[in-house]
Every structure is written in C-alpha cells, then in structure tokens.
Amino acid sequence: MHFISQELEDYIEQHSENEPELLAKLNKETYQKILLPRMLSGHFQGRVLSMLSKLIRPVNILEIGTYTGYAALCLCEGMQENGQLHTIDIKEELVDFQRKYFDASPWGNQIFQHLGEAIDIIPTLDVKFDLVFIDADKENYLNYWEMIVPKMNKGGIILSDNVLWSGKILEPVHPNDVSTKVLLEYNLHLKNDPRVETVLLPIRDGLTVSRVL
C-alpha cells in the first residue's frame, strides 16, 4: 500500500492533525492483539475520514466493515448531535473489542453494531444515509454499491476504500483473482454512474469519494 516513500508518509502524518488519544490506544491494542492489523485505517487516513465527516456533518452514517472500530470513531467526529452510525461486520470475536472503544468515546449510545453479512443487513436498515464508508470484502463492492445508492440522501457521500488494491489494478490480473477483477469493474462503474460524481484519491490504498446527485 506504500505508493510514496515512508519518509514522505511520515512527513504527511507529522503535518496533519494529531491522532486522538483514544484512537492511538485502539491502534496500539489492535496491533498487539488482533490479526491483520494493517486493515486498520490508521492515523492519516483516519484524519481524512474525520475531516470529510466534519465537512459533511452527517446525521446518519453507514459503515460496511467495522474491523476494530477505528474508522467508525473517526466518522463519528463530524456526526450531528442527534446522529447515528450503523456499522456492519461478520466477525463475532471483534464485537466486544469494538464496543469497549465505542463506549469509551462520546458516541457510545449512537453507534449500532450489526453482526452478519452486509448483503443481508443493509436491506433491513430503514434509514436514509448522508455518509457511507465501504471497507469490506471486495468481491461484493458492486453489490453494496447498488444497495446503498437508493438509500442515500441527495448530496450524500459514499467513500470506498482500497480501490487501488496495492497497485494490482495496473497489473495483469490472475485468472483466480476475483477481488482485483471486481475492483476494476467497480472503479469504472463509479466513474460512469450518472447518479454520482466521483473522484478517486491516492490516499493510502486508494479512497474514492462519490457524491450522490
């Protein structure tokens, strides 16, 4: 996921907003105790998510792929006082870990955890969303997209993570590499979808920002 030098990444972090103390603790404990800690959004991308949320001022937020809850807490930073964040994940073993940090934040009673397949859960959410963050299984990105767009408020923002897929989107695709195939189709679909306007940002592993028209 390192498309620029580590020295330049360090400089960028040093000249961006500091990582909040609670998120620094979450970051550290994730690396100490949880498998695949590189899935964590981390300091710089977390501050990007926080800034976007503060600019959008969402009431209702949806996150697909909770992991340990880092990105969810970043997104909550811009949420309005009466807002809610719904977050979906399939890993039951992470629910208590997530909840510990959610309850240690100012938004504990506004964060709703959903355990199971997002494909099954999204249709049950009777909510119009202002901000969505997609960061789950890449094979279902197109399915998530088609389920989410009708649930968005006009002007709402959909964020899609990992859309550069460690640069694999520029390499010959292995016949068995379903994730890269789907992401190539996904990126093209978002560019051409008349319901949104889209910009792909080279942040970390690629972050697409799509605004619903």
Side-chain angles (χ1 to χ4, degrees):
M1 289 190 288
H2 295 281
F3 300 115
I4 60 176
S5 70
Q6 187 61 56
E7 291 80 9
L8 195 51
E9 287 191 1
D10 292 342
Y11 182 89
I12 290 167
E13 282 198 6
Q14 291 161 10
H15 292 81
S16 297
E17 194 70 18
N18 292 335
E19 184 179 39
E21 183 179 350
L22 179 64
L23 290 177
K25 290 180 180 177
L26 194 166
N27 195 333
K28 183 177 180 180
E29 189 172 359
T30 298
Y31 272 84
Q32 288 173 336
K33 299 180 180 179
I34 308 297
L35 292 173
L36 302 174
R38 71 193 293 269
M39 291 173 57
L40 195 82
S41 288
H43 175 189
F44 174 60
Q45 182 167 314
R47 292 305 86 204
V48 171
L49 296 177
S50 169
M51 182 66 76
L52 289 171
S53 184
K54 288 170 181 173
L55 291 169
I56 297 162
R57 297 292 292 142
V59 175
N60 293 311
I61 305 172
L62 172 64
E63 178 186 43
I64 305 174
T66 316
Y67 190 48
T68 54
Y70 191 102
L73 290 173
C74 294
L75 296 170
C76 281
E77 292 180 31
M79 183 170 63
Q80 294 191 34
E81 287 186 11
N82 62 333
Q84 296 182 346
L85 181 141
H86 294 266
T87 184
I88 305 170
D89 206 285
I90 59 171
K91 294 183 178 178
E92 186 174 1
E93 67 271 19
L94 293 179
V95 170
D96 291 341
F97 186 102
Q98 299 158 6
R99 180 46 61 183
K100 177 176 72 171
Y101 282 95
F102 291 162
D103 287 344
S105 79
W107 311 286
N109 62 357
Q110 295 168 270
I111 300 175
F112 298 89
Q113 295 162 284
H114 302 271
L115 180 63
E117 298 285 349
I119 289 289
D120 300 323
I121 293 169
I122 293 170
T124 71
L125 301 176
D126 188 21
V127 182
K128 282 282 192 176
F129 293 102
D130 307 295
L131 177 59
V132 174
F133 183 44
I134 306 174
D135 185 17
D137 55 312
K138 311 313 164 196
E139 293 87 346
N140 272 309
Y141 264 35
L142 281 162
N143 295 326
Y144 297 148
W145 177 264
E146 293 303 329
M147 299 174 90
I148 288 165
V149 172
K151 288 182 171 287
M152 298 296 297
N153 284 318
K154 185 176 180 181
I157 299 294
I158 304 172
L159 305 174
S160 307
D161 201 15
N162 304 116
V163 291
L164 295 180
W165 207 223
S166 299
K168 291 181 182 178
I169 42 84
L170 294 179
E171 300 170 358
V173 181
H174 189 278
N176 296 327
D177 187 353
V178 177
S179 295
T180 303
K181 289 179 183 177
V182 171
L183 282 172
L184 285 167
E185 186 178 351
Y186 183 77
N187 291 339
L188 187 60
H189 183 68
L190 269 57
K191 172 67 170 67
N192 295 322
D193 193 327
R195 298 171 295 179
V196 299
E197 55 183 352
T198 288
V199 61
L200 197 164
L201 304 176
I203 292 172
R204 200 160 174 258
D205 196 26
L207 181 70
T208 297
V209 181
S210 302
R211 177 178 174 271
V212 178
L213 300 175

